[in-house]
Amino acid sequence: MSAPALALAGVSRSFGPVEVLHGVDIALRPGRVHALIGENGAGKSTTMKILAGYLAPSRGELRVAGTPARFASVREAEAAGIVLIHQEFNLAEQLTVEQNLFLGREIRRGWLLDKPAMRARARALLDRLSCAAGVDRVVSSLSNSDKQMLEIAKALAREARVLIMDEPTAVLTRAETDILLTQVRALRAAGTAVLFTSHKLDEVREIADDLTIMRDGAVVWQGEAAGMSEHDMAEAMVGREVSGLYPAKPPAPGGAPVLEVEGLDVPGHAEGVSFGLRAGEILGVAGLIGSGRTETFEGLCGLRPARGRIRLDGREVRVRSPAEAKALGLGYLTEDRKTRGLLLTKSLRENLTLTALERFARLTIDTAAEERALDTAIAEFDIRAGARDGPVGNLSGGNQQKLLLARTLLPEPRIVVIDEPTRGIDIGTRQQIYRFIRELAASGRSIVVISSEMQEVIGLADRVLVMCRGRVAGTLEGADITEAQIVRLAMGLGAPAPAAEEPA
Amino acid sequence: MSDTTTLPRPRRALPSMTVIGPVLALVLLVIIGTALNPNFLAWANVTNVLARSAFIGIIAVGMTFVITAGGLDLSVGSMAAFIAGLMILVMNAALPALGVGVPLVLLGMATALVAGLAAGFLNGILITRLGIEAFIVTLGSMGIYRSLVTWLADGGTLSLDFTLRSFYQPVYYGGILGVSWPIIVFAVTVVLGEIAMRRMVFGRHCAAIGSNDQVARYSSVNVGRVRLMTYVLLGLLVGVATIMYVPRLGSASASTGLLWELEAIAAVIIGGTVLKGGFGRVWGTVIGVLILSLIGNILNLTDLVSPYLNGAIQGAIIILAVILQREGKAGA
Ligand SMILES: Nc1ncnc2c1ncn2[C@@H]1O[C@H](COP(=O)(O)OP(=O)(O)OP(=O)(O)O)[C@@H](O)[C@H]1O
Ligand SMILES: [Mg+2]
């Protein structure tokens, strides 16, 4: 086997008094894909940041091609050919795609920028990733998956010898993931050392050569990936037997619909969407990215301009703002946790109670009651926070998601729309969240789960609404909820077909 | 890219420089002041400084909310001048009908409060409903009010009727137990402001909106209304400050309230409120106001440095305060 291009030896890392990594060893070899998996908060992102020079180890050693090294800055690491793609996007939102791609390493002709050269190169890089986004688009207008592709293109442009990707596929659809995996294979063939992490174990099975499993800041398993099944991985990660990911579905609830939506138009995104939702029901919403799933439900919840008839308990209502939605008992959990979900610089407590703040205030806010609510949320959702009063931005991605879920449910909405409930969440917690959603439904609430993960929709939903190009393509129920049926409807086709790209 | 490495550090036992920095600066100024002039801490001087700080102070409390919610208001100085002019005109006009007395003064006060509310509401509506940048809207209204007061005064000075002025004067010069009204009103404003900022839903919502208005919106916070309320509150407080200010000189002219907006904004920033929004501290603003007025006071009491350099020293302090804020945030 080739010598490691980059390695950690006995690395520990503390934040203040809390040690989050304990003596981690890991070696990345040229021409091999290494997967790092573990529960939320296990220390994957921290390990990756140390490898890429974003964080310094508190103890232990970083070795580049066998020799101990210390990067003073990310630039030095990049100069050594090590590139990290962060779990959260690291893009200048107001700049264009091309400007982002060449940020800090602009191509110049004399004193001036060589615009045509950069644009051409940007186009070529994006084409390699089958990404249709225009090079002059402002990044803030891109979809999440295009943003992820742009991050990957940035890394490709840097011609990395070691490419580290923190949950690159979390926001990608299966089809986009396949494109990414193809690129990873090409890089591997070209001799790049690749490290990536993902909570989707099937991807790990598919592409990893080497595997490291972490739990609570320490490596618990390391070796060749070939011998490990998904089930083995899950068990090693969580430290207990994991089976029955999805809770059993009770008989489909009957009764009159609680929510009836008729001819909902969200200008530019969706048209004539109609559906009903019963008490105790979990409605899955499937569709390709760009099919208007998110926008439809943002429109329903007053987050975007929308027209149409909405009836709650048979009574016609208007939802013009999220505040009105809340008053009507409608809750919405966004898929975009960093820019729309959480106040990253504020504490857990302030984030948790933001939506339901009136409940904690008469004239002034009762912080003691807020703290109690936080205790409950931490226990109920198994939120693992190093320091309870630190900023939310310090939580691991999955724990941020759990906090977001806790916040959405705190005002006790009767109808909850959850957009991508388990994005970036480990398998053990996913099981807990599914059970939780099922319990919410069992208590008489109505739940809408929008998800790009087919298995999630199939495993969780009582009924599935499939969207295609801004319209409802069909509704599936009971035994009809199958992958083939969903794909067929999502593609707007009559027969099952392979997933293809929807134009952005 | 490099600021990704400066992740916020965990809490330490010691309060950070952003908290103690302004307090230390204030203490230092008091020590310097006392060393240079033994009269510095005399009751008369202390109350004088506080009373003069009160106008800017009351306005700066309102400004703290506006800035915390991610906004800015450049119009407060000329708004104060305009309200003062309007108040004087109304009181003079109603003098024959009402005669000198409490009702007339109350009418004047009501005029100021209503005008302040309306002016703040106007700024707020333009910013929140039409979505125009706060900087642009208030830059515009700053010019409009300044020009209106000049026009009302016909380029000169609007003066309160002489008998009326002597009747109204106690509002500035009088007080209870030797503490004058402006100081009392300032103190009450600060206490209420501090409670609103730290303990009430309004303050929490302001900070949420300032740190990320999208997150606030997705959390069902009524972003537009809270933003609007910050400008209305500021307008109202400008009205209150004007009520205290008019009896002092009994007049208003084109130069009334000149540069108050900058002094108020500076006080807010020195006090540790983040200019980009998301975090605000009312008590910090008070310290900022005191620092700014103490510098002027010390320069006036001593002849070590020319009082003409007041602006330069204030400017240096503002820049220093922002540097300290950064250290407190980024230092590892
Ligand atoms: N800057 C920081 N300050 C304090 N604690 C931190 C900081 N960064 C990470 N941590 C803590 O370190 C632990 C490991 O976090 P890390 O982000 O590495 O987890 P992860 O394995 O990537 O999880 P996920 O799957 O949720 O992304 C967590 O408990 C987290 O709260
Ligand atoms: Mg992570």
Side-chain angles (χ1 to χ4, degrees):
Chain A
M1 206 185 281
S2 49
L6 184 65
L8 295 183
V11 163
S12 301
R13 167 76 202 199
S14 305
F15 293 105
V18 190
E19 190 178 276
V20 300
L21 288 189
H22 324 289
V24 170
D25 294 306
I26 191 169
L28 314 184
R29 297 169 199 281
R32 289 183 75 84
V33 176
H34 196 131
L36 175 61
I37 61 175
E39 286 181 290
N40 297 127
K44 303 179 296 294
S45 297
T46 310
T47 304
M48 291 180 151
K49 284 180 190 157
I50 292 176
L51 279 164
Y54 278 83
L55 289 174
S58 308
R59 253 180 309 115
E61 219 169 59
L62 174 76
R63 294 191 188 136
V64 180
T67 43
R70 222 184 162 84
F71 296 124
S73 71
V74 178
R75 267 182 177 278
E76 271 183 31
E78 284 197 2
I82 302 163
V83 176
L84 168 66
I85 301 178
H86 283 270
Q87 182 166 5
E88 314 286 1
F89 296 126
N90 221 334
L91 297 167
E93 294 269 329
Q94 300 311 320
L95 299 187
T96 64
V97 167
E98 169 241 306
Q99 286 167 333
N100 263 285
L101 259 173
F102 293 98
L103 196 60
R105 38 188 8 257
E106 290 81 1
I107 304 177
R108 259 171 277 188
R109 203 198 273 136
W111 291 84
L112 301 175
L113 292 176
D114 189 352
K115 270 272 190 195
M118 286 194 283
R119 292 171 46 108
R121 216 158 126 49
R123 189 68 266 155
L125 283 165
L126 292 176
D127 284 346
R128 242 171 98 182
L129 294 166
S130 315
C131 174
V135 293
D136 291 323
R137 292 264 301 272
V138 174
V139 164
S140 59
S141 74
L142 296 183
S143 70
N144 272 337
S145 52
D146 281 340
K147 285 184 190 173
Q148 185 62 278
M149 287 301 180
L150 177 56
E151 285 278 18
I152 292 159
K154 249 170 80 180
L156 292 179
R158 304 244 184 315
E159 276 150 22
R161 285 195 304 122
V162 180
L163 176 61
I164 304 174
M165 298 184 284
D166 197 351
E167 295 194 35
T169 59
V171 297
L172 301 186
T173 58
R174 186 62 226 185
E176 290 164 331
T177 301
D178 288 336
I179 295 169
L180 175 67
L181 294 187
T182 310
Q183 285 303 315
V184 170
R185 286 194 192 94
L187 288 170
R188 168 167 65 190
T192 311
V194 179
L195 175 68
F196 84 106
T197 180
S198 171
H199 289 291
K200 301 177 188 168
L201 300 180
D202 52 335
E203 293 165 17
V204 175
R205 270 290 302 148
E206 194 177 328
I207 192 136
D209 304 308
D210 301 315
L211 181 64
T212 296
I213 303 181
M214 291 181 73
R215 196 190 314 144
D216 295 332
V219 173
V220 292
W221 195 91
Q222 205 156 43
E224 299 234 350
M228 293 289 271
S229 70
E230 280 179 46
H231 187 258
D232 297 338
M233 291 184 212
E235 229 176 82
M237 268 170 61
V238 183
R240 62 177 159 84
E241 164 76 22
V242 186
S243 58
L245 188 54
Y246 300 99
K249 293 184 193 178
V258 175
L259 173 74
E260 288 163 280
V261 176
E262 234 180 85
L264 187 74
D265 290 343
V266 180
H269 297 285
E271 234 180 276
V273 175
S274 304
F275 66 92
L277 187 63
R278 298 191 187 91
E281 183 177 44
I282 300 178
L283 176 70
V285 180
L288 302 178
I289 288 192
S291 61
R293 297 172 308 182
T294 295
E295 290 81 1
T296 300
F297 284 89
E298 286 189 349
L300 177 68
C301 295
L303 287 156
R304 293 175 180 270
R307 285 185 308 268
R309 287 160 69 97
I310 303 170
R311 276 194 301 272
L312 260 181
D313 300 320
R315 199 168 49 86
E316 189 140 342
V317 294
R318 297 192 62 188
V319 188
R320 281 158 305 193
S321 72
E324 284 184 355
K326 184 176 77 171
L328 291 168
L330 220 69
Y332 179 84
L333 190 151
T334 172
E335 62 174 334
D336 189 351
R337 103 182 131 232
K338 190 185 180 190
T339 55
R340 295 181 177 150
L342 293 169
L343 299 171
L344 297 173
T345 57
K346 301 273 176 206
S347 68
L348 275 76
R349 174 171 58 83
E350 279 174 76
N351 272 284
L352 175 69
T353 56
L354 188 55
T355 308
L357 200 53
E358 326 72 55
R359 292 182 165 229
F360 297 91
R362 255 184 241 291
L363 193 56
T364 59
I365 298 170
D366 182 354
T367 31
E370 283 187 287
E371 286 292 344
R372 285 195 296 278
L374 180 58
D375 284 333
T376 316
I378 286 178
E380 208 166 331
F381 294 90
D382 191 22
I383 298 171
R384 301 192 196 163
R388 178 186 167 114
D389 52 359
V392 161
N394 284 0
L395 292 187
S396 78
N399 282 302
Q400 291 181 6
Q401 181 74 5
K402 296 188 218 168
L403 182 67
L404 195 52
L405 188 59
R407 185 188 59 212
T408 311
L409 296 175
L410 197 59
E412 296 179 16
R414 292 173 54 209
I415 299 168
V416 197
V417 179
I418 308 178
D419 201 350
E420 305 292 359
T422 59
R423 174 170 286 172
I425 287 200
D426 70 57
I427 185 155
T429 314
R430 207 141 73 190
Q431 192 182 24
Q432 290 171 352
I433 287 183
Y434 294 147
R435 200 177 314 138
F436 201 83
I437 291 178
R438 184 45 83 185
E439 278 165 18
L440 276 178
S443 72
R445 268 163 253 242
S446 315
I447 319 263
V448 175
V449 171
I450 306 174
S451 177
S452 305
E453 273 192 68
M454 198 86 74
Q455 287 312 320
E456 187 164 279
V457 174
I458 296 170
L460 200 58
D462 298 315
R463 213 147 50 87
V464 177
L465 192 77
V466 186
M467 292 194 62
C468 175
R469 294 176 221 276
R471 292 176 174 280
V472 175
T475 312
L476 302 170
E477 227 163 316
D480 287 342
I481 308 179
T482 62
E483 188 153 349
Q485 290 279 15
I486 294 177
V487 169
R488 185 178 62 83
L489 290 171
M491 303 294 305
L493 298 174
E501 258 318 274
E502 171 91 346
Chain B
M1 280 284 242
S2 68
D3 66 1
T4 337
T5 51
T6 56
L7 295 161
R9 64 195 147 154
R11 287 230 173 140
R12 293 166 311 154
L14 266 179
S16 71
M17 208 51 203
T18 59
V19 178
I20 48 172
V23 181
L24 282 182
L26 185 63
V27 170
L28 197 70
L29 276 179
V30 171
I31 293 173
I32 294 174
T34 333
L36 291 177
N37 189 325
N39 282 334
F40 181 73
L41 278 182
W43 182 247
N45 188 49
V46 171
T47 49
N48 178 34
V49 169
L50 285 176
R52 280 159 170 272
S53 318
F55 315 122
I56 300 280
I58 293 169
I59 294 173
V61 168
M63 189 69 82
T64 310
F65 286 90
V66 169
I67 292 181
T68 300
L72 193 69
D73 193 338
L74 296 172
S75 69
V76 290
S78 42
M79 193 191 289
F82 171 66
I83 295 174
L86 195 67
M87 201 176 152
I88 290 169
L89 278 183
V90 167
M91 286 168 87
N92 282 346
L95 182 59
L98 290 175
V100 174
V102 175
L104 185 57
V105 170
L106 288 182
L107 174 71
M109 290 181 172
T111 307
L113 295 181
V114 170
L117 273 179
F121 185 78
L122 217 65
N123 276 340
I125 279 288
L126 289 172
I127 292 163
T128 56
R129 289 289 181 278
L130 299 187
I132 313 172
E133 287 284 338
F135 186 93
I136 305 296
V137 169
T138 59
L139 189 65
S141 50
M142 170 168 102
I144 293 171
Y145 294 134
R146 182 63 64 200
S147 144
L148 281 180
V149 72
T150 316
W151 174 67
L152 286 181
D154 205 12
T157 303
L158 284 166
S159 294
L160 207 54
D161 180 88
F162 185 75
T163 47
L164 186 53
R165 189 190 311 180
S166 6
F167 183 78
Y168 189 9
Q169 251 172 6
V171 171
Y172 179 75
Y173 294 99
I176 350 178
L177 301 172
V179 184
S180 67
W181 285 115
I183 301 178
I184 296 169
V185 173
F186 181 28
V188 171
T189 310
V190 167
V191 169
L192 292 181
E194 178 71 20
I195 293 172
M197 181 65 88
R198 283 166 69 108
R199 303 300 309 266
M200 286 172 63
V201 173
F202 179 62
R204 189 73 75 75
H205 280 176
C206 286
I209 291 169
S211 67
N212 186 335
D213 59 347
Q214 282 283 17
V215 171
R217 207 166 77 83
Y218 274 75
S219 306
S220 305
V221 173
N222 200 329
V223 174
R225 196 172 66 197
V226 173
R227 279 229 166 99
L228 176 63
M229 287 307 294
T230 61
Y231 290 98
V232 171
L233 175 71
L234 177 53
L236 184 70
L237 288 176
V238 172
V240 171
T242 313
I243 290 175
M244 302 281 116
Y245 180 78
V246 165
R248 183 171 157 221
L249 295 178
S251 65
S253 71
S255 62
T256 300
L258 212 56
L259 295 183
W260 279 12
E261 61 282 343
L262 293 188
E263 240 180 276
I265 293 169
V268 171
I269 302 311
I270 292 174
T273 296
V274 179
L275 183 56
K276 277 190 305 187
F279 178 78
R281 206 155 53 189
V282 171
W283 67 261
T285 298
V286 177
I287 297 203
V289 170
L290 293 180
I291 288 177
L292 289 181
S293 35
L294 279 188
I295 296 170
N297 184 245
I298 290 173
L299 295 186
N300 277 332
L301 287 182
T302 62
D303 36 33
L304 224 55
V305 185
S306 159
Y308 293 134
L309 282 176
N310 188 358
I313 297 177
Q314 288 188 347
I317 297 251
I318 294 165
I319 294 171
L320 197 70
V322 174
I323 293 173
L324 283 179
Q325 268 187 26
R326 269 219 334 228
E327 304 259 288
K329 267 229 208 93

